[in-house]
Amino acid sequence: MKFSLTPNQFFLIIFLLQSGIVFITFQTRLLEAAGRNAWVIFIFTGVFQYLLLIFYERQHSRFLPGPFVLLLYKLYWIYINVLSLTNILYSLSIWLYPNTPSIVLLLFMVTVSFYANCCKPDTIINLPVIIIPAILLFFVSLLIALPDLEWTWLFPLDLKDVELVWNGFLTSQLTVVGVASFLFLRKRVVTDVKMIGWPIAIYAGFWFLFFFMSLLVVQLFFPIETIAVVPQALLYLLKSQKVNFVERLDLFFLFIWMMWSIITVILFAFLIRLVHAETNSGKQYKFNLLIHAIFLLVPPFFSTRDRLDMIREPLLYLHLFIVVVLPIFVFIKNRRQKT
Amino acid sequence: MRIQKGIIIVILTLLLSGCWDETQYKDLTIVPLVGIEGEEGDITTMFAFPTFQNGKIEYSSSQGKGVSTRAARSDANHQTMEALDMAHLEVILMSADLAKTDFAPSLDMFFRTPRNRITSYIAIVEGEMGTYFNPPGNLKSEISYYYPELLRTVVLYSFGANFTLQDAMKTMFDPGIDLALPYLRINEETGIPKVVGSGLFSKQRYTGVTLSSSESISAVIMADKLNKYARITFEWEAKNTQITVNVMRVKKKWTIGTDTITASYHLDVAVEEYAPHNLHEKKNREEAAAFLKTSFKEHFDAVIKKSQEAESDILGFGRKVRAFHQELWNKGDWQQTYANIPIQVEVDVRLKLTNIAE
Amino acid sequence: MKPNIEHVKKLVYETDDLYVKMIDWPYEEGIICYFTTLVDGGELNKQLALLKRQAEAKTQNWAISAASSSYPYTDDKLQNLLSLGETALIFPQANIIVAINLKKEQARTTDEPENEHVITGSHEGFIENKDTNIALIRKRLLRADFVVKNIYTGNKNSDIVTYAYIATVTDPQLVENIDKKLSAVSSDEFFTPGQLIEYVEEHTWSPFPQLLVTERPDRVASNLLEGRIVLLMDNSPTAVIGPVTLFSFFQTPDDFNSRTLVGSFYRLLRIFSLITAIFLPAFYVSVVSFHSEILPIEISKQVKLAINEIPYRPFLEAILLEVFIELIREASMRLPTPIGQTIAIVGGLVVGDAIVSAGLVSNLMVIVVAMTAISSFVIPSAEMNMTIRILRFPFMLGAALFGFFGMVIGLLLLFIHLLNLRSLGRPYLSPVIPFDFTRFKDIFVRLPFLRFLRSTKKKGVRE
């Protein structure tokens, strides 16, 4: 596949891959895992993410994975896509569509993804642009909640409890999930761009601001004792906002989030195809059909509470392996081969 | 061609099989008012709602019994023409007796069903719920209009604050603060339901203690949750007159020591009614300010005293204590600690405007 | 074989409007022939006198004058010249044809086009004569780099398509591309710009117009200055402009004639009307049949009162009214103006009122559909507003099936489709995707013209 990315497109895609699936649920999970420490822990995650990006940028030219590693990545992304589709289905069936068979809803979402993946790469890499207004809208509506925030809930902190902190850190890794795509897309960026310095700092800053703000708003809006009973805290927060023209802001955001997630699914599917095309020639259409068949058939199986948890839990550990261990392994291997 | 046929077949199937989660608005009854009474395990819910027929709106109500709110609602559903829909719920009335028990699970259905509205007001009523749905006096309006408007006025005039379902749930489950809900009683002379003050909660139960309406305003001022108007009238016995002021702005500062709390307030007020109309002289203004200072302090002290008696930290000192004064917080149960800790109130009043033209 | 009068008659199948006679000429006898319906006889006499004088003077190129030229004789050439409306002077001895181009023009005046009225600004419009049309454009572009190229398409080589551009501004590759596409056209006859467009555009099945159609010379001129190419056909007042973007369809010359703030306001209004025209009925349908909880408290009772006793599903209601409005539009469009207006009044007011009081459709639905219809008519381009009107049906279907979910799926598909579209090889959503800030601003607001010029200078060509 032939295409090239401008730095803006590149970062927008990475941002979507990182945020699409988790941005509406991670606050609750993080607060459950880390309590009031969540916001401090998230600052650590922000630093971690920044260092990771710099590390990737320095080493990306050495990232030449073999077929087996590529297969791992492909499987990992298929897993993420299945997970996020399951997540969407589950949320939709809780909030609005309890009776509609999930396969029907899924059919439409997967069709969109399939259609997009049949188009030229140019179309797909430009797709995230539709989300930009949504990001702004999202920020603004978080600001509506500002007067209701209770600032004393930032404290007390309990950072001595190492297990709590570690759990929190692991959970906050949810927000870094899509970052491995950096390594695959980096070489597509029009050359002569210097990434270290402002570009990465701005990106990491924006990413941090986005997640940190949503985390902070949720933490200061709900007492820690009620977090457990409001699973999608962000939606509840929007639900409790009174605006004149419409009663339920949360529904709009549910759908904005859904659109966001579908585009993320499209981008992940695109990544899978991209990696596949690097090693295999021909029959791209059939492969496209195959992965979308997986997306269509697997998620309905998991869209019950137990099974969702079952596939959601391994993500944290798998993620660290994919994002940190595997790239380091590849870098080292390539360095040895060179010398 | 095969693909096109396939698409047509899919669309036709969808149209024929219908839309699973369609809920036609015309088939729903929008319920603006709900009353809950009874006790956990034996709940009675009453619903008041408009019905729409022949282009006219009429009002009707229905009632259900069950082991939980949900069950009571289903029961009521069987006695109502169209399905009851809580998406536009404006007011939940709860009987004082129910409020004294562990009532949170009864509200859970309203709070956590995604379709339901969570910005509806919640208030406590004294006595039988039925009398509030069929008040003895002439309301000159329908109850499903009356209560929402009444409670909106409560908010607008700062008789109470933070009593939507959402706020109530949040406040109730936060150990650092307690809930105060508007308290309604049937006025014996007119037979019309009236907001007489606010009921104090301790943890998740109603204590039976209520603040009077002027105390409720004071409590709202003390929590700095003013809405548009916060009018309060004082009897100035020395001058044999009354003075009504509107509090415009509150600056509060809570100093929390190891075993004492000082709450100091700075109020900007506007005089709205004062018969002697001599406030254009500086001397009189100072005198009035001094009078207001002591009067406010009396009111504030009364609020603190009542809330301490009820073990109900309605102002939320606990939130600050929990965040920054762990040693005090960890002394034991916060509501007990609150009841026993001495709280000093300091008030400073500035006459900012005398809204009477001179 | 020497041509003679009989032969010439046979070549045109003995049609009666052929004038063919022997004519005296200084050296030999000639045959003069032309279609009396196409040629102005009086002018022809003057021209003949001029040519005769030149012939007597025995100059080398006596047959050449401002309106005449000579060709070697062939039957085909003769047929061709006659059918193009020229007068042929045949000299059998010398075996040449002298062609005199004196067409009698049947043309209406250059009135303002019916469907592109402006309030202030030029009121000229194209007519069915291509040369006049080009003259109208050239009049506005008094510069040497305005290029007009003719392409003869079809087997008979007589249907002429013309494309014009400004050489110093337009991307040469674009010109080459268009040239190639037009030259490849092998259709025998095509008459309408619609057919021409289908040859040139890339996505025939897309509902979106990929080329802008206009009858206004000022619009053409300003587009040419922005580096676009214009296609003209003889016998059609329609000019086709490309490459365009989605947003070009939302601008009118009026924007530049009005005050900056006013122009900007209306430009924003038009973009907003795009949103309501596509989504409003679908939104209404999904609200009343799926998501009634989003209705604000204050309005909920009125909505409920309005729809409570309507027998049909909102989707059917909407379809009924939409079809009704389309019928009124289609019926009144081709009728003479007074009758058309009557139809509109009867349809809009009388039946609209009756349909509500009969209880078939709720009055809210009437408001929604009327607002949608009006929004779609705000869009200045007739083609685009048809597209928009068609587009809302799939959205309504999606809304009726799944509420907002259906709408979001539709929106994503629409967006992907728009991203796929190209107009003459240029991205259809151009200033937004790929993003270009200077031009991006221009979509939503109408910047002061002076500022505009400066940015043009800085950024080079605007498309």
Side-chain angles (χ1 to χ4, degrees):
Chain A
M1 279 185 267
K2 267 191 186 167
F3 66 95
S4 63
L5 298 163
T6 64
N8 286 344
Q9 284 171 327
F10 171 68
F11 282 124
L12 192 59
I13 290 176
I14 305 263
F15 178 71
L16 237 75
L17 290 174
Q18 287 196 266
S19 62
I21 309 157
V22 292
F23 87 90
I24 220 158
T25 46
F26 100 98
Q27 300 93 348
T28 313
R29 297 189 62 190
L30 182 52
L31 285 167
E32 272 179 1
R36 275 184 231 282
N37 298 331
W39 63 280
V40 182
I41 289 170
F42 196 76
I43 295 178
F44 292 143
T45 311
V47 175
F48 170 76
Q49 141 102 351
Y50 180 59
L51 294 178
L52 193 67
L53 284 177
I54 293 207
F55 172 67
Y56 278 179
E57 172 62 22
R58 289 249 159 98
Q59 302 288 333
H60 78 270
S61 53
R62 286 211 194 85
F63 187 73
L64 303 161
F68 178 68
V69 177
L70 284 182
L71 182 68
L72 281 184
Y73 274 104
K74 269 191 271 181
L75 288 176
Y76 171 66
W77 285 329
I78 290 179
Y79 161 70
I80 287 196
N81 254 2
V82 167
L83 179 61
S84 60
L85 285 169
T86 315
N87 229 336
I88 303 175
L89 278 185
Y90 189 71
S91 301
L92 280 180
S93 63
I94 281 186
W95 282 84
L96 286 166
Y97 301 101
N99 301 324
T100 313
S102 44
I103 188 94
V104 176
L105 296 177
L106 198 62
L107 180 69
F108 283 90
M109 295 193 272
V110 172
T111 309
V112 171
S113 170
F114 182 67
Y115 172 49
N117 273 295
C118 288
C119 301
K120 284 182 232 141
D122 277 348
T123 304
I124 299 182
I125 59 177
N126 280 325
L127 210 50
V129 177
I130 195 175
I131 291 301
I132 293 176
I135 298 177
L136 297 177
L137 210 64
F138 181 72
F139 268 106
V140 170
S141 19
L142 287 188
L143 289 180
I144 304 179
L146 217 53
D148 294 335
L149 301 187
E150 177 57 47
W151 296 96
T152 56
W153 286 336
L154 286 177
F155 301 101
L157 295 175
D158 185 14
L159 291 170
K160 285 182 200 126
D161 192 341
V162 177
E163 202 189 326
L164 199 69
V165 173
W166 175 245
N167 271 343
F169 184 73
L170 264 187
T171 315
S172 69
Q173 289 303 315
L174 280 177
T175 57
V176 195
V177 158
V179 83
S181 52
F182 187 99
L183 294 166
F184 291 88
L185 292 173
R186 176 62 181 91
K187 57 183 171 230
R188 302 286 183 158
V189 177
V190 278
T191 45
D192 68 342
V193 178
K194 196 169 159 287
M195 286 274 188
I196 292 185
W198 282 117
I200 283 189
I202 290 175
Y203 171 69
F206 180 77
W207 172 90
F208 178 74
L209 188 73
F210 176 82
F211 281 108
F212 190 64
M213 195 168 136
S214 66
L215 174 69
L216 213 55
V217 167
V218 169
Q219 183 174 353
L220 300 183
F221 192 83
F222 293 99
I224 211 91
E225 288 79 9
T226 57
I227 284 291
V229 296
V230 281
Q232 273 152 342
L234 206 57
L235 288 180
Y236 254 85
L237 184 152
L238 292 165
K239 189 177 169 183
S240 64
Q241 297 308 311
K242 277 187 190 170
V243 283
N244 265 340
F245 51 94
V246 70
E247 189 62 44
R248 294 279 302 274
L249 269 185
D250 55 321
L251 287 192
F252 287 99
F253 280 86
L254 183 68
F255 284 104
I256 286 180
W257 170 69
M258 189 188 99
M259 199 151 84
W260 201 310
S261 298
I262 291 178
I263 290 180
T264 312
V265 167
I266 293 173
L267 289 173
F268 271 121
F270 176 65
L271 270 181
I272 297 168
R273 281 173 53 233
L274 184 71
V275 171
H276 185 77
E278 276 176 11
T279 47
N280 305 281
S281 55
K283 303 232 168 143
Q284 295 302 320
Y285 181 77
K286 274 195 181 155
F287 181 71
N288 192 7
L289 211 58
L290 176 74
I291 54 174
H292 282 91
I294 296 176
F295 299 155
L296 180 63
L297 298 176
V298 180
F301 177 73
F302 288 106
S303 69
T304 62
R305 183 76 219 205
D306 286 346
R307 289 177 183 162
L308 180 62
D309 281 348
M310 191 172 90
I311 57 167
R312 197 151 67 174
E313 289 317 316
L315 176 65
L316 296 176
Y317 305 97
L318 206 59
H319 153 74
L320 277 184
F321 173 72
I322 289 285
V323 166
V324 183
V325 181
L326 210 54
I328 292 180
F329 170 74
V330 174
F331 295 149
I332 292 174
K333 200 171 150 223
N334 280 315
R335 178 174 276 183
R336 279 217 194 109
Q337 277 170 356
K338 256 181 209 165
T339 50
Chain B
M1 272 319 281
R2 256 168 56 202
I3 295 174
Q4 282 164 0
K5 263 185 202 162
I7 292 171
I8 291 171
I9 287 172
V10 169
I11 290 177
L12 280 182
T13 341
L14 285 173
L15 284 175
L16 289 176
S17 63
C19 325
W20 294 269
D21 285 296
E22 196 183 51
T23 42
Q24 292 289 352
Y25 191 42
K26 62 183 179 201
D27 300 335
L28 297 173
T29 294
I30 44 177
V31 180
L33 175 67
V34 168
I36 315 172
E37 65 178 344
E39 56 191 24
E40 186 67 25
D42 178 23
I43 299 279
T44 309
T45 45
M46 305 185 77
F47 305 87
F49 45 83
T51 55
F52 300 85
Q53 255 168 3
N54 302 327
K56 266 192 230 150
I57 306 183
E58 279 161 10
Y59 292 85
S60 165
S61 63
S62 81
Q63 192 175 346
K65 269 182 197 292
V67 287
S68 68
T69 328
R70 183 53 99 172
R73 178 181 155 186
S74 314
D75 186 38
N77 244 343
H78 300 312
Q79 308 168 29
T80 316
M81 200 166 63
E82 292 165 336
L84 296 169
D85 180 29
M86 303 291 147
H88 287 117
L89 189 62
E90 289 184 83
V91 172
I92 303 172
L93 297 178
M94 189 167 45
S95 75
D97 294 337
L98 176 64
K100 278 176 188 160
T101 63
D102 185 16
F103 65 93
S106 322
L107 291 184
D108 199 54
M109 185 269 282
F110 295 104
F111 184 53
R112 291 219 291 163
T113 309
R115 197 179 158 81
N116 290 354
R117 185 168 183 256
I118 56 175
T119 43
S120 39
Y121 295 123
I122 170 165
I124 318 174
V125 298
E126 188 180 276
E128 287 283 305
M129 185 60 67
T131 45
Y132 291 86
F133 275 66
N134 288 305
N138 182 8
L139 274 187
K140 299 198 183 72
S141 161
E142 292 296 335
I143 48 168
S144 46
Y145 266 131
Y146 181 76
Y147 290 110
E149 291 302 327
L150 182 70
L151 292 172
R152 255 192 283 280
T153 316
V154 166
V155 174
L156 190 64
Y157 286 86
S158 308
F159 282 113
N162 285 357
F163 57 91
T164 62
L165 181 59
Q166 147 79 16
D167 289 324
M169 284 309 221
K170 268 168 60 182
T171 320
M172 233 158 57
F173 285 107
D174 185 1
I177 192 167
D178 284 303
L179 185 61
L181 293 181
Y183 191 79
L184 271 71
R185 187 186 294 152
I186 302 276
N187 187 330
E188 287 182 2
E189 288 166 25
T190 58
I192 289 176
K194 181 187 174 189
V195 179
V196 292
S198 33
L200 302 185
F201 284 63
S202 181
K203 291 190 182 149
Q204 278 115 41
R205 285 161 201 245
Y206 174 49
T207 56
V209 181
T210 50
L211 296 178
S212 71
S213 69
S214 72
E215 282 165 347
S216 301
I217 297 183
S218 303
V220 171
I221 296 171
M222 289 171 86
D224 192 10
K225 292 270 158 62
L226 299 184
N227 210 295
K228 213 164 195 168
Y229 312 104
R231 292 208 181 106
I232 190 162
T233 306
F234 298 107
E235 196 75 27
W236 195 343
E237 280 169 5
K239 297 217 161 186
N240 197 19
T241 179
Q242 299 86 25
I243 180 164
T244 304
V245 293
N246 183 23
V247 179
M248 298 162 75
R249 211 162 69 99
V250 180
K251 259 196 256 171
K252 67 172 191 206
K253 190 166 184 288
W254 292 344
T255 325
I256 291 160
T258 44
D259 47 7
T260 170
I261 294 177
T262 314
S264 54
Y265 289 92
H266 179 92
L267 310 176
D268 281 355
V269 303
V271 177
E272 300 219 318
E273 188 189 26
Y274 180 58
H277 55 81
N278 56 6
L279 287 179
H280 50 275
E281 285 172 33
K282 189 170 187 200
K283 180 174 70 78
N284 294 333
R285 283 205 297 274
E286 278 166 359
E287 199 181 354
F291 168 73
L292 288 173
K293 196 170 149 178
T294 49
S295 310
F296 269 116
K297 184 164 161 36
E298 274 166 27
H299 274 70
F300 286 7
D301 278 336
V303 171
I304 295 277
K305 189 157 165 274
K306 246 189 192 172
S307 70
Q308 281 186 326
E309 274 166 15
E311 296 184 3
S312 167
D313 177 15
I314 48 170
L315 302 179
F317 288 107
R319 285 181 169 170
K320 205 173 173 190
V321 172
R322 189 190 197 185
F324 302 112
H325 303 274
Q326 281 291 303
E327 64 299 345
L328 188 58
W329 179 260
N330 290 332
K331 258 188 186 167
D333 182 49
W334 168 246
Q335 271 70 18
Q336 306 256 319
T337 318
Y338 173 73
N340 297 322
I341 198 165
I343 298 177
Q344 249 68 55
V345 178
E346 289 165 9
V347 185
D348 186 21
V349 173
R350 184 164 65 145
L351 275 190
K352 203 171 177 193
L353 295 175
T354 57
N355 274 10
I356 310 160
E358 283 158 10
Chain C
M1 196 203 89
K2 299 278 180 220
N4 56 30
I5 291 183
E6 287 310 310
H7 180 68
V8 171
K9 275 190 179 167
K10 247 184 216 143
L11 277 181
V12 292
Y13 304 95
E14 317 227 339
T15 174
D16 280 343
D17 63 344
L18 182 76
Y19 178 91
V20 49
K21 287 280 174 346
M22 300 303 285
I23 185 175
D24 284 335
W25 208 253
Y27 302 107
E28 57 173 316
E29 268 197 330
I31 306 169
I32 183 165
C33 52
Y34 57 87
F35 286 125
T36 49
T37 40
L38 291 179
V39 176
D40 183 348
E43 287 295 315
L44 183 60
N45 278 340
K46 287 182 205 160
Q47 182 68 24
L48 282 176
L50 173 83
L51 284 180
K52 219 177 240 174
R53 239 178 297 137
Q54 286 185 356
E56 274 165 353
K58 291 188 187 176
T59 52
Q60 182 69 38
N61 292 317
W62 62 265
I64 308 297
S65 77
S68 63
S69 47
S70 70
Y71 307 95
Y73 178 86
T74 61
D75 285 352
D76 277 348
K77 189 69 199 170
L78 180 62
Q79 266 180 332
N80 194 356
L81 287 172
L82 284 176
S83 60
L84 286 177
E86 304 209 8
T87 306
L89 210 52
I90 307 163
F91 297 104
Q93 306 287 294
N95 207 19
I96 58 169
I97 311 175
V98 174
I100 306 168
N101 186 2
L102 281 174
K103 267 183 260 179
K104 185 163 68 180
E105 288 302 345
Q106 305 294 338
R108 58 187 173 102
T109 51
T110 55
D111 286 331
E112 176 156 39
E114 277 288 317
N115 57 358
E116 285 177 277
H117 279 292
V118 294
I119 298 162
T120 48
S122 153
H123 294 291
E124 264 176 338
F126 286 140
I127 57 167
E128 282 74 6
N129 185 320
K130 195 185 65 193
D131 292 336
T132 317
N133 293 349
I134 291 173
L136 286 174
I137 303 173
R138 216 178 245 291
K139 189 171 85 177
R140 289 174 168 76
L141 299 170
L142 299 170
R143 49 197 288 176
D145 52 2
F146 173 56
V147 186
V148 178
K149 294 271 189 190
N150 289 329
I151 300 247
Y152 297 84
T153 59
N155 293 336
K156 293 249 169 80
N157 282 342
S158 55
D159 294 312
I160 303 178
V161 176
T162 301
Y163 66 90
Y165 57 95
I166 297 181
T168 51
V169 181
T170 313
D171 180 4
Q173 197 149 22
L174 191 64
V175 178
E176 200 179 307
N177 184 2
I178 270 284
D179 193 74
K180 216 190 283 170
K181 267 189 185 161
L182 289 176
S183 308
V185 174
S186 64
S187 163
D188 238 4
E189 322 205 314
F190 64 33
F191 299 107
T192 68
Q195 290 166 321
L196 174 67
I197 287 172
E198 278 194 22
Y199 277 102
V200 179
E201 72 187 359
E202 280 120 276
H203 310 264
T204 317
W205 283 104
S206 166
F208 286 91
Q210 296 139 51
L211 296 161
L212 182 67
V213 165
T214 180
E215 295 186 18
R216 298 190 59 88
D218 52 346
R219 206 167 180 190
V220 169
S222 69
N223 275 300
L224 282 171
L225 283 170
E226 289 172 6
R228 299 200 176 89
I229 295 185
V230 59
L231 308 176
L232 294 161
M233 284 181 79
D234 211 351
N235 300 322
S236 163
T238 309
V240 177
I241 301 171
V244 289
T245 67
L246 178 66
F247 307 100
S248 334
F249 292 94
F250 293 88
Q251 299 174 356
T252 78
D254 255 346
D255 289 353
F256 292 97
N257 290 327
S258 56
R259 316 264 325 141
T260 302
L261 282 178
V262 180
S264 305
F265 171 74
Y266 285 104
R267 210 171 255 192
L268 281 174
L269 189 74
R270 268 179 238 133
I271 302 274
F272 171 75
S273 79
L274 170 71
I275 296 168
T276 50
I278 299 183
F279 297 113
L280 192 63
F283 182 77
Y284 177 78
V285 167
S286 30
V287 167
V288 295
S289 50
F290 281 87
H291 312 299
S292 55
E293 64 263 40
I294 73 160
L295 284 172
I297 295 270
E298 293 79 9
I299 206 179
S300 61
K301 286 202 184 82
Q302 279 91 317
V303 175
K304 174 89 175 150
L305 188 62
I307 65 169
N308 205 39
E309 283 165 30
I310 304 300
Y312 300 122
R313 286 158 174 272
F315 177 64
L316 284 180
E317 253 183 284
I319 290 284
L320 191 71
L321 264 192
E322 289 284 359
V323 168
F324 185 60
I325 287 217
E326 293 301 310
L327 283 177
I328 296 176
R329 193 194 66 89
E330 194 63 22
S332 58
M333 191 154 70
R334 293 189 179 78
L335 289 172
T337 324
I339 305 180
Q341 276 172 359
T342 321
I343 291 274
I345 290 167
V346 170
L349 293 176
V350 181
V351 182
D353 189 45
I355 212 168
V356 171
S357 39
L360 287 178
V361 170
S362 68
N363 46 16
L364 272 176
M365 184 59 91
V366 173
I367 297 175
V368 166
V369 171
M371 171 140 179
T372 316
I374 294 170
S375 310
S376 69
F377 289 122
V378 167
I379 297 160
S381 151
E383 280 180 306
M384 185 50 98
N385 94 44
M386 301 224 206
T387 305
I388 299 298
R389 282 213 305 278
I390 300 272
L391 268 184
R392 63 179 174 245
F393 290 102
F395 276 98
M396 271 155 56
L397 185 68
L401 289 177
F402 297 107
F404 287 163
F405 177 81
M407 284 175 72
V408 169
I409 294 292
L411 179 67
L412 278 171
L413 289 175
L414 175 67
F415 190 68
I416 297 171
H417 175 70
L418 281 175
L419 278 175
N420 269 337
L421 279 188
R422 295 275 183 282
S423 163
L424 301 182
R426 302 295 157 97
Y428 196 55
L429 288 175
S430 180
V432 185
I433 303 160
F435 189 74
D436 177 347
F437 185 69
T438 38
R439 282 161 50 216
F440 179 73
K441 286 180 297 191
D442 203 40
I443 299 172
F444 298 106
V445 293
R446 203 279 263 174
L447 293 178
F449 194 58
L450 291 172
R451 192 82 65 73
F452 204 44
L453 274 184
R454 219 176 298 142
S455 71
T456 312
K457 234 178 252 165
K458 234 187 327 190
K459 290 293 278 189
V461 185
R462 299 183 325 111
E463 291 172 35

